[in-house]
Amino acid sequence: GLKYEDVEINLPNKNKLYGWYIPADKETEKHIIYLHGTKGNIGLYLGGIKELHKVGTNILIVDYEGFGKSTGKETVSNTINDSIAMYNYLLEEKHAKPENISLFGYSYGGALATELARRKEVHAVVLESTFSSLLSIAISKHYPFVRFIVSDNVLNTKENLKKINVPI
């Protein structure tokens, strides 16, 4: 029941991200980038988006590379670059100002939201069911060997929160 525009974002690596831009019911300059988890595709998150839409902002939700209709391969570095591409899309295509962009991160998307907020100017960050670091979640899932593969500097929500100076 939400009005939306199909979004296709061309990436420097020749892959494409697919998603939706859901305009607010009343015109506004406020935007939210919805960064989803690692299960399913953007359709799985419609319930949350529908609720979030009630606050009266425009919402951008895009599948990361390797998810849904987006091409490419799902990797941590690709998802970080994908979140930056979403941010740049709002700046370039929707003429959004950084101070009018907020981030909503669900689960894995919360780690991406703090990483993006550390790198780019945003208005605020909202986190739901995220984790403290990629390394901690891997170890908690009984993969202690992963500490030799994954740096604790990558998607470290706990550390990124210390570096973000916006409402969280």
Side-chain angles (χ1 to χ4, degrees), residues 18-57:
Y18 173 80
W20 300 316
Y21 179 78
I22 304 163
D25 291 332
K26 294 180 183 177
E27 193 168 325
T28 181
E29 294 182 6
K30 304 292 185 188
H31 293 83
I32 293 175
I33 299 175
Y34 190 108
L35 297 157
H36 64 77
T38 58
K39 292 192 178 178
N41 59 36
I42 56 178
L44 182 65
Y45 302 92
L46 274 175
I49 289 171
K50 200 170 186 177
E51 290 302 310
L52 194 57
H53 190 257
K54 292 177 184 177
V55 302
T57 65

Short mmCIF file of all heavy atoms in Angstrom, two decimals, residues 18-57:
data_model
loop_
_atom_site.label_atom_id
_atom_site.label_comp_id
_atom_site.label_asym_id
_atom_site.label_seq_id
_atom_site.Cartn_x
_atom_site.Cartn_y
_atom_site.Cartn_z
N TYR A 18 19.47 -2.65 -6.52
CA TYR A 18 18.06 -2.44 -6.78
C TYR A 18 17.34 -2.17 -5.47
O TYR A 18 17.65 -2.80 -4.45
CB TYR A 18 17.43 -3.66 -7.46
CG TYR A 18 15.94 -3.55 -7.59
CD1 TYR A 18 15.37 -2.79 -8.61
CD2 TYR A 18 15.10 -4.15 -6.67
CE1 TYR A 18 14.00 -2.65 -8.71
CE2 TYR A 18 13.72 -4.02 -6.77
CZ TYR A 18 13.18 -3.27 -7.79
OH TYR A 18 11.82 -3.12 -7.88
N GLY A 19 16.41 -1.26 -5.49
CA GLY A 19 15.64 -1.00 -4.29
C GLY A 19 14.45 -0.10 -4.55
O GLY A 19 14.01 0.04 -5.70
N TRP A 20 13.96 0.51 -3.46
CA TRP A 20 12.79 1.37 -3.53
C TRP A 20 13.07 2.69 -2.84
O TRP A 20 13.70 2.73 -1.78
CB TRP A 20 11.60 0.73 -2.84
CG TRP A 20 11.17 -0.59 -3.40
CD1 TRP A 20 11.04 -0.93 -4.72
CD2 TRP A 20 10.80 -1.75 -2.66
NE1 TRP A 20 10.62 -2.23 -4.84
CE2 TRP A 20 10.46 -2.76 -3.58
CE3 TRP A 20 10.73 -2.03 -1.30
CZ2 TRP A 20 10.04 -4.02 -3.19
CZ3 TRP A 20 10.32 -3.29 -0.90
CH2 TRP A 20 9.96 -4.26 -1.84
N TYR A 21 12.53 3.74 -3.42
CA TYR A 21 12.48 5.05 -2.78
C TYR A 21 11.01 5.29 -2.47
O TYR A 21 10.17 5.30 -3.37
CB TYR A 21 13.03 6.14 -3.71
CG TYR A 21 12.99 7.51 -3.11
CD1 TYR A 21 13.93 7.91 -2.18
CD2 TYR A 21 11.98 8.41 -3.45
CE1 TYR A 21 13.90 9.18 -1.61
CE2 TYR A 21 11.94 9.68 -2.90
CZ TYR A 21 12.89 10.06 -1.99
OH TYR A 21 12.86 11.31 -1.42
N ILE A 22 10.71 5.43 -1.19
CA ILE A 22 9.32 5.56 -0.74
C ILE A 22 9.13 6.99 -0.24
O ILE A 22 9.62 7.34 0.84
CB ILE A 22 9.02 4.54 0.38
CG1 ILE A 22 9.33 3.11 -0.14
CG2 ILE A 22 7.58 4.67 0.86
CD1 ILE A 22 9.47 2.08 0.93
N PRO A 23 8.47 7.82 -1.06
CA PRO A 23 8.29 9.22 -0.64
C PRO A 23 7.30 9.34 0.52
O PRO A 23 6.37 8.54 0.65
CB PRO A 23 7.76 9.91 -1.89
CG PRO A 23 7.16 8.83 -2.72
CD PRO A 23 7.87 7.56 -2.36
N ALA A 24 7.52 10.35 1.34
CA ALA A 24 6.59 10.64 2.44
C ALA A 24 5.25 11.07 1.85
O ALA A 24 5.17 11.51 0.70
CB ALA A 24 7.17 11.75 3.32
N ASP A 25 4.20 10.94 2.64
CA ASP A 25 2.87 11.35 2.18
C ASP A 25 2.80 12.85 1.93
O ASP A 25 2.10 13.30 1.03
CB ASP A 25 1.79 10.93 3.19
CG ASP A 25 1.62 9.41 3.23
OD1 ASP A 25 1.89 8.75 2.20
OD2 ASP A 25 1.24 8.89 4.29
N LYS A 26 3.51 13.62 2.74
CA LYS A 26 3.58 15.07 2.56
C LYS A 26 5.02 15.43 2.21
O LYS A 26 5.95 14.83 2.74
CB LYS A 26 3.17 15.81 3.85
CG LYS A 26 1.72 15.62 4.22
CD LYS A 26 1.39 16.38 5.49
CE LYS A 26 -0.06 16.11 5.90
NZ LYS A 26 -0.39 16.77 7.17
N GLU A 27 5.18 16.41 1.34
CA GLU A 27 6.53 16.78 0.90
C GLU A 27 7.41 17.16 2.09
O GLU A 27 7.00 17.90 2.98
CB GLU A 27 6.45 17.95 -0.08
CG GLU A 27 7.75 18.16 -0.81
CD GLU A 27 7.63 19.10 -1.98
OE1 GLU A 27 6.58 19.09 -2.65
OE2 GLU A 27 8.60 19.84 -2.21
N THR A 28 8.62 16.63 2.08
CA THR A 28 9.61 16.90 3.13
C THR A 28 11.01 16.74 2.56
O THR A 28 11.20 16.03 1.57
CB THR A 28 9.42 15.96 4.34
OG1 THR A 28 10.39 16.30 5.34
CG2 THR A 28 9.57 14.50 3.95
N GLU A 29 11.95 17.40 3.19
CA GLU A 29 13.35 17.25 2.80
C GLU A 29 14.05 16.16 3.63
O GLU A 29 15.21 15.86 3.41
CB GLU A 29 14.09 18.58 2.99
CG GLU A 29 13.60 19.66 2.05
CD GLU A 29 14.37 20.96 2.20
OE1 GLU A 29 15.37 21.01 2.97
OE2 GLU A 29 13.98 21.93 1.54
N LYS A 30 13.34 15.56 4.58
CA LYS A 30 13.91 14.53 5.47
C LYS A 30 13.93 13.17 4.78
O LYS A 30 12.97 12.78 4.11
CB LYS A 30 13.10 14.43 6.76
CG LYS A 30 12.98 15.74 7.51
CD LYS A 30 14.29 16.18 8.09
CE LYS A 30 14.10 17.43 8.93
NZ LYS A 30 15.37 18.00 9.35
N HIS A 31 15.05 12.47 4.96
CA HIS A 31 15.24 11.15 4.36
C HIS A 31 15.78 10.17 5.40
O HIS A 31 16.55 10.55 6.27
CB HIS A 31 16.25 11.23 3.21
CG HIS A 31 15.78 12.00 2.04
ND1 HIS A 31 15.86 13.37 1.97
CD2 HIS A 31 15.22 11.59 0.89
CE1 HIS A 31 15.38 13.77 0.81
NE2 HIS A 31 14.98 12.72 0.14
N ILE A 32 15.39 8.92 5.22
CA ILE A 32 15.96 7.83 6.02
C ILE A 32 16.50 6.79 5.05
O ILE A 32 15.81 6.39 4.11
CB ILE A 32 14.90 7.16 6.93
CG1 ILE A 32 14.45 8.14 8.02
CG2 ILE A 32 15.45 5.88 7.55
CD1 ILE A 32 13.31 7.61 8.88
N ILE A 33 17.74 6.37 5.29
CA ILE A 33 18.28 5.20 4.59
C ILE A 33 18.05 4.01 5.50
O ILE A 33 18.53 4.00 6.64
CB ILE A 33 19.78 5.36 4.28
CG1 ILE A 33 20.02 6.56 3.37
CG2 ILE A 33 20.31 4.07 3.64
CD1 ILE A 33 21.50 6.86 3.12
N TYR A 34 17.29 3.05 5.04
CA TYR A 34 17.00 1.83 5.81
C TYR A 34 18.02 0.78 5.40
O TYR A 34 18.02 0.29 4.27
CB TYR A 34 15.57 1.35 5.52
CG TYR A 34 15.10 0.26 6.44
CD1 TYR A 34 14.13 0.52 7.40
CD2 TYR A 34 15.58 -1.05 6.35
CE1 TYR A 34 13.66 -0.48 8.25
CE2 TYR A 34 15.13 -2.05 7.19
CZ TYR A 34 14.18 -1.76 8.12
OH TYR A 34 13.72 -2.76 8.97
N LEU A 35 18.91 0.43 6.31
CA LEU A 35 19.94 -0.57 6.07
C LEU A 35 19.48 -1.87 6.74
O LEU A 35 19.39 -1.96 7.96
CB LEU A 35 21.28 -0.08 6.63
CG LEU A 35 21.78 1.19 5.92
CD1 LEU A 35 22.75 1.96 6.81
CD2 LEU A 35 22.40 0.84 4.60
N HIS A 36 19.17 -2.85 5.92
CA HIS A 36 18.54 -4.07 6.43
C HIS A 36 19.54 -5.13 6.87
O HIS A 36 20.74 -4.96 6.73
CB HIS A 36 17.56 -4.64 5.40
CG HIS A 36 18.19 -5.08 4.11
ND1 HIS A 36 18.87 -6.27 3.99
CD2 HIS A 36 18.21 -4.52 2.88
CE1 HIS A 36 19.28 -6.43 2.76
NE2 HIS A 36 18.90 -5.36 2.05
N GLY A 37 19.01 -6.21 7.39
CA GLY A 37 19.82 -7.32 7.86
C GLY A 37 20.27 -8.21 6.72
O GLY A 37 20.10 -7.89 5.54
N THR A 38 20.82 -9.37 7.07
CA THR A 38 21.39 -10.28 6.06
C THR A 38 20.44 -11.42 5.68
O THR A 38 20.86 -12.35 5.00
CB THR A 38 22.71 -10.89 6.54
OG1 THR A 38 22.49 -11.59 7.76
CG2 THR A 38 23.77 -9.82 6.72
N LYS A 39 19.21 -11.33 6.10
CA LYS A 39 18.25 -12.37 5.71
C LYS A 39 17.29 -11.81 4.68
O LYS A 39 16.81 -10.69 4.81
CB LYS A 39 17.47 -12.87 6.92
CG LYS A 39 18.36 -13.63 7.87
CD LYS A 39 17.56 -14.36 8.90
CE LYS A 39 18.54 -15.13 9.77
NZ LYS A 39 17.95 -15.84 10.82
N GLY A 40 17.01 -12.60 3.67
CA GLY A 40 16.01 -12.21 2.68
C GLY A 40 16.44 -11.03 1.83
O GLY A 40 17.61 -10.77 1.62
N ASN A 41 15.42 -10.32 1.37
CA ASN A 41 15.66 -9.13 0.57
C ASN A 41 14.79 -8.01 1.11
O ASN A 41 14.14 -8.16 2.14
CB ASN A 41 15.38 -9.41 -0.91
CG ASN A 41 13.96 -9.87 -1.17
OD1 ASN A 41 13.02 -9.41 -0.54
ND2 ASN A 41 13.79 -10.78 -2.09
N ILE A 42 14.73 -6.88 0.40
CA ILE A 42 14.02 -5.71 0.93
C ILE A 42 12.55 -5.98 1.23
O ILE A 42 11.98 -5.37 2.12
CB ILE A 42 14.19 -4.48 0.01
CG1 ILE A 42 13.73 -4.76 -1.42
CG2 ILE A 42 15.62 -4.00 0.04
CD1 ILE A 42 13.83 -3.58 -2.37
N GLY A 43 11.94 -6.90 0.52
CA GLY A 43 10.54 -7.23 0.76
C GLY A 43 10.28 -7.76 2.15
O GLY A 43 9.21 -7.57 2.73
N LEU A 44 11.28 -8.41 2.74
CA LEU A 44 11.15 -8.96 4.09
C LEU A 44 10.97 -7.87 5.14
O LEU A 44 10.43 -8.11 6.20
CB LEU A 44 12.39 -9.81 4.42
CG LEU A 44 12.42 -10.51 5.76
CD1 LEU A 44 11.33 -11.57 5.85
CD2 LEU A 44 13.79 -11.15 5.97
N TYR A 45 11.41 -6.66 4.82
CA TYR A 45 11.43 -5.57 5.80
C TYR A 45 10.28 -4.58 5.63
O TYR A 45 10.28 -3.53 6.26
CB TYR A 45 12.81 -4.86 5.73
CG TYR A 45 13.91 -5.85 5.99
CD1 TYR A 45 14.54 -6.52 4.95
CD2 TYR A 45 14.29 -6.16 7.29
CE1 TYR A 45 15.53 -7.47 5.20
CE2 TYR A 45 15.27 -7.11 7.55
CZ TYR A 45 15.89 -7.76 6.49
OH TYR A 45 16.85 -8.70 6.76
N LEU A 46 9.31 -4.93 4.81
CA LEU A 46 8.19 -4.01 4.55
C LEU A 46 7.39 -3.67 5.79
O LEU A 46 6.92 -2.54 5.92
CB LEU A 46 7.26 -4.59 3.48
CG LEU A 46 7.66 -4.29 2.05
CD1 LEU A 46 6.75 -5.01 1.07
CD2 LEU A 46 7.67 -2.80 1.78
N GLY A 47 7.23 -4.60 6.70
CA GLY A 47 6.48 -4.31 7.94
C GLY A 47 7.12 -3.18 8.71
O GLY A 47 6.45 -2.24 9.14
N GLY A 48 8.42 -3.24 8.89
CA GLY A 48 9.14 -2.19 9.59
C GLY A 48 9.14 -0.88 8.83
O GLY A 48 9.01 0.20 9.41
N ILE A 49 9.25 -0.98 7.52
CA ILE A 49 9.24 0.22 6.69
C ILE A 49 7.88 0.91 6.76
O ILE A 49 7.80 2.14 6.85
CB ILE A 49 9.61 -0.13 5.23
CG1 ILE A 49 11.07 -0.49 5.17
CG2 ILE A 49 9.29 1.01 4.28
CD1 ILE A 49 11.51 -1.06 3.87
N LYS A 50 6.85 0.12 6.75
CA LYS A 50 5.49 0.69 6.84
C LYS A 50 5.32 1.48 8.14
O LYS A 50 4.75 2.56 8.15
CB LYS A 50 4.46 -0.43 6.74
CG LYS A 50 3.09 0.01 6.34
CD LYS A 50 2.21 -1.19 6.02
CE LYS A 50 0.90 -0.71 5.49
NZ LYS A 50 0.03 -1.81 5.10
N GLU A 51 5.83 0.95 9.23
CA GLU A 51 5.77 1.65 10.52
C GLU A 51 6.64 2.90 10.51
O GLU A 51 6.24 3.96 10.97
CB GLU A 51 6.18 0.72 11.66
CG GLU A 51 5.19 -0.37 11.96
CD GLU A 51 3.81 0.16 12.31
OE1 GLU A 51 3.70 1.06 13.17
OE2 GLU A 51 2.83 -0.31 11.71
N LEU A 52 7.83 2.77 9.98
CA LEU A 52 8.76 3.89 9.91
C LEU A 52 8.22 5.01 9.02
O LEU A 52 8.42 6.19 9.29
CB LEU A 52 10.10 3.39 9.39
CG LEU A 52 11.31 4.29 9.53
CD1 LEU A 52 11.53 4.68 10.99
CD2 LEU A 52 12.55 3.58 8.98
N HIS A 53 7.50 4.64 8.00
CA HIS A 53 6.92 5.61 7.06
C HIS A 53 5.95 6.56 7.76
O HIS A 53 5.78 7.71 7.35
CB HIS A 53 6.22 4.86 5.91
CG HIS A 53 5.79 5.73 4.79
ND1 HIS A 53 4.48 6.12 4.62
CD2 HIS A 53 6.50 6.31 3.79
CE1 HIS A 53 4.40 6.89 3.56
NE2 HIS A 53 5.60 7.02 3.03
N LYS A 54 5.37 6.12 8.85
CA LYS A 54 4.39 6.93 9.59
C LYS A 54 5.02 8.19 10.19
O LYS A 54 4.31 9.13 10.52
CB LYS A 54 3.74 6.11 10.69
CG LYS A 54 2.83 5.02 10.17
CD LYS A 54 2.27 4.17 11.31
CE LYS A 54 1.43 3.02 10.78
NZ LYS A 54 0.94 2.16 11.87
N VAL A 55 6.37 8.22 10.33
CA VAL A 55 7.00 9.41 10.91
C VAL A 55 7.07 10.56 9.91
O VAL A 55 7.40 11.68 10.27
CB VAL A 55 8.40 9.13 11.50
CG1 VAL A 55 8.35 8.07 12.58
CG2 VAL A 55 9.41 8.80 10.43
N GLY A 56 6.74 10.29 8.65
CA GLY A 56 6.64 11.36 7.66
C GLY A 56 7.91 11.72 6.93
O GLY A 56 8.09 12.87 6.53
N THR A 57 8.81 10.75 6.73
CA THR A 57 10.03 11.02 5.97
C THR A 57 10.06 10.14 4.71
O THR A 57 9.35 9.14 4.62
CB THR A 57 11.31 10.74 6.78
OG1 THR A 57 11.36 9.35 7.06
CG2 THR A 57 11.35 11.52 8.06
#
